[in-house]
Each structure stands twice: as C-alpha cells, then as structure tokens.
Amino acid sequence: MGDGGLADDPHNLGQSLNFLQGKILRIDVNGRDYKLQYGIPKDNPFAAKPPDGCRTEIWAYGLRNVWRMSFDRETGELWAGDVGQRKWEEVDLIVKGGNYGWSAREGFHLFKENVKMTNAIDPVIEYAHTPALAKESRFPDHGVGLSITGGFVYRGSKIPKLRGVYIYADYMAGTIWGLRYEGGKLTADEVLVKGIPRGAYPVFGQDSEGEIYALAFDGRVYQIVEGKAEPEAAKLIRSSRVLAADIRFHWFNATCCAEMIQFTRSPMETTPMTLSPSRTGRCRTRFSVMRRIQSSTV
Ligand SMILES: [Ca+2]
C-alpha cells in the first residue's frame, strides 16, 4: 500500500507501525480476526507481541509506493519495485519485518532528517531520475528513469541466459532491465530492452511456464523474447496469446478476490485513509482501475 500522501509522506506514515500506509501487508483472506474482514497470520512479524498501536497486518514497512511485487517461483523470495519521490527509483528484496527506509530515506539517500528510523535495509539497486543525479548513485551507469515497474524473476525456458534474472522496467523511460542477485550480492545488471514508447507498458505478467509478458495500453499483450543484437539481450514482440489465458498479470491477483477494496478518505483525523468494499464489483473494471493507479504514481 502506498504512503497515502500527495508528496513527501506528510504524515510520516512509512516509518509508523500504527498505519497500513507505506507498507506491504499480509492477511489471511479465509480467516476473520477481531472485527476485521480477514485474518492475521500468526507468523506475521508483529502479530505475536505488537508494539503499542501496531497494525499486525504489516509484513514490511518503509515503502513509498510499491508498483508491483512478485514471488520468485523457484525460491519464494519476494521482489518489489518501489516508486520514488523526486530522485530515486529502487528494487527491494522484501523480508519479514523489513524496514525499507521511506520516508527517512529515498533509495540509499537521506530524505528527511526528522524522521526516526532504525535498521533500514538497502535497496538491491537504485537509479536516478536525471543523468546529473546518477553521478551520486552507487550505480552511476545504470541509466535513468522516473517511475519503476517491478516485474518477475525469469524462470522460463525460452531465454536460458535470463534464468534467475529479475526483470523490471521504467514506465516513463521505456527501458527494461535485468539484474542478477546471488548470495546477497548484485552480480549483474544490464539493459534488456530500450526505446519502447514512454508510458506504454504499465505492468508485467507471467504464464504457467514462467515466460514474461508486458501489457500495453494499446490493449495488446507483448512477450519478452530473446534479442539478436548484442547490447539488447531481449526484445518485446506482440504475442498471439490472449489476455486472461494462463497469463496472470499482477493486478489480477488484487482484483480477483471476492470483492474489490477501494481506498477512501476517512472522517477521522488519526486515520487518513480507510478500507471499504468497492461498489464497482469484481474484475470488471481491471483496466481502468490499473490506469488510474498508475497515473497517480508518476
Ligand atoms: Ca527504500
């Protein structure tokens, strides 16, 4: 869940365990606990001995606006692309109870001095919004962008050299990258596809074989396949696959539950946002909902 602020996390919710915003949450959709419409898994990091006022739904915190996360189907690791504010986009490897820094930090960099923060986990990689800023990055040659789109660790068979590579993109820059992370270290990162239209591909998906697809606002599905040219290891081609075959796009997971959940303003001062069932029903409005959410992240 995003931090809920227009900019700068004005209520410092990212570092507060008392709010759901700026977090990755983990709930049991089949259970019912307290007065909630879902259960709290007993092994959630703060479920056993929650600090005062702590929301026990929290799995990880200090995240600004995760635009897509996914589990590595082979290792079970959870990967996320966290959209930055004005300077830094980042990829995070999410662990139980992990603090990813926002809004005390953006990427590897100090963002607010007055926000208390302990034990922040560094991003796996960060990239800057501008070439001038990139010089301050630990990854100055990465290339720039404005809004990250997290993807998947490739576990398909059609592009053997990409096996185990985490694939992610920048929505505005029109670049797709891949990185390899082994034994707690970044061992490779490179451009896979570049020069794709700005703002055209908002989300990745994968099929049952682990092949990766991108959905475009032209309404078509594109597949990532092996590239011929040396600088680009992969390319996007129009796929003959139709939507909703066995390809699961990220937001399907969110909307194909019993009913859609909508975020609305709460009248209470202490809870800036609340959860309420959506009247728009299930699954029908996927595309427009996705479009709206994406437009609020860039
Ligand atoms: Ca961070």
Side-chain angles (χ1 to χ4, degrees), residues 208-222:
S208 55
E209 305 297 315
E211 300 303 326
I212 308 283
Y213 299 81
L215 189 79
F217 280 131
D218 65 8
R220 298 192 178 106
V221 176
Y222 291 76

Side-chain angles (χ1 to χ4, degrees), residues 62-63 82 90 92 99-102 105-108 121-123:
L63 294 142
D82 194 15
E90 67 185 76
D92 292 307
N99 176 9
Y100 292 85
W102 180 254
R105 294 203 315 183
E106 183 184 10
F108 286 90
I121 296 171
D122 287 338

Side-chain angles (χ1 to χ4, degrees), residues 101-178:
W102 180 254
S103 56
R105 294 203 315 183
E106 183 184 10
F108 286 90
H109 311 267
L110 181 72
F111 187 78
K112 277 187 197 169
E113 283 184 33
N114 60 343
V115 174
K116 217 174 105 187
M117 181 193 65
T118 48
N119 303 326
I121 296 171
D122 287 338
V124 169
I125 206 165
E126 69 170 9
Y127 62 88
H129 283 200
T130 65
L133 196 60
K135 292 174 194 140
E136 296 171 31
S137 174
R138 296 195 192 189
F139 311 95
D141 303 323
H142 178 278
V144 299
L146 294 171
S147 183
I148 193 168
T149 298
F152 293 89
V153 174
Y154 181 74
R155 297 293 181 188
S157 57
K158 289 185 177 160
I159 320 176
K161 63 187 168 191
L162 289 190
R163 274 193 58 80
V165 166
Y166 176 69
I167 293 174
Y168 60 104
D170 190 274
Y171 179 67
M172 300 302 280
T175 308
I176 300 175
W177 292 272

Side-chain angles (χ1 to χ4, degrees), residues 8-54:
D8 301 328
D9 187 16
H11 306 293
N12 298 330
L13 301 183
Q15 291 297 310
S16 170
L17 294 175
N18 297 359
F19 295 89
L20 299 179
Q21 292 91 339
K23 310 296 183 315
I24 287 174
L25 309 174
R26 181 171 179 251
I27 59 173
D28 173 8
V29 295
N30 295 313
R32 297 283 185 274
D33 277 336
Y34 317 111
K35 290 177 180 171
L36 302 168
Q37 295 297 307
Y38 48 84
I40 304 290
K42 287 190 171 41
D43 57 345
N44 267 9
F46 305 108
K49 286 183 186 167
D52 214 16
C54 174

Side-chain angles (χ1 to χ4, degrees), residues 81-100:
D82 194 15
V83 176
Q85 175 90 34
R86 288 187 205 94
K87 295 182 171 177
W88 304 101
E89 303 298 309
E90 67 185 76
V91 172
D92 292 307
L93 189 52
I94 304 297
V95 297
K96 177 178 177 176
N99 176 9
Y100 292 85

